[in-house]
Amino acid sequence: MKYGQFIATVRDNGDYSGREEAERVTEAVLAVLRDRLTEEGADHLAAQLPEPLDELMRDRHGQAESYGSAEFCRRVAGMTGATERTAEWDADAVLSTVAGTVSGGELNHLLSQLPSGYAPFFGKNDLSD
């Protein structure tokens, strides 16, 4: 999937008013996800994302952090200036687009690195789907 199509899908999934909002939300969600993944995990995901999102995923600083989905949403909210409930919506819009972009094997690899509370953001009810 090309970058423009990825952003258009996020825009549709999140019902955002414009491309700029979809881009801002995408960058925030992926930056928080990147910080949650190992360097290897972020690199694997980056390999299947369009430019410039691949570079965003590779722009790591430090060790992977360990936090659940509630903290994930708090961090997204902090980056976007939204409420935590809106950040859940944002995470769903972006990560469901990621799920539709990457291979099934990569999606399973990604989900295996995260607690089960993240699965609904990717359009998954549990890891066995």
Side-chain angles (χ1 to χ4, degrees):
M1 181 181 293
K2 302 265 188 214
Y3 178 75
Q5 184 180 4
F6 188 98
I7 295 300
T9 302
V10 170
R11 182 179 175 185
D12 290 344
N13 288 347
D15 197 28
Y16 298 114
S17 60
R19 179 183 174 109
E20 296 79 20
E21 183 180 15
E23 287 176 322
R24 183 178 53 81
V25 166
T26 296
E27 290 172 8
V29 170
L30 291 180
V32 175
L33 179 64
R34 174 199 63 213
D35 293 344
R36 177 64 177 81
L37 299 174
T38 64
E39 184 174 349
E40 178 185 12
D43 284 345
H44 280 265
L45 179 57
Q48 294 193 26
L49 292 177
E51 294 179 359
L53 301 177
D54 60 336
E55 290 300 318
L56 177 99
M57 290 305 296
R58 289 185 177 107
D59 188 25
R60 290 192 50 88
H61 303 287
Q63 298 283 332
E65 298 181 52
S66 180
Y67 45 83
S69 59
E71 178 62 19
F72 181 88
C73 290
R74 276 191 284 279
R75 291 177 185 219
V76 170
M79 290 184 76
T80 62
T83 66
E84 289 178 32
R85 179 65 191 118
T86 299
E88 287 179 34
W89 181 269
D90 296 339
D92 183 64
V94 174
L95 298 179
S96 64
T97 303
V98 167
T101 301
V102 302
S103 69
E106 178 54 35
L107 181 58
N108 287 335
H109 182 257
L110 177 59
L111 288 170
S112 73
Q113 297 178 67
L114 301 168
S116 62
Y118 285 79
F121 296 136
F122 293 90
K124 296 262 190 200
N125 293 326
D126 62 48
L127 296 179
S128 62
D129 284 351

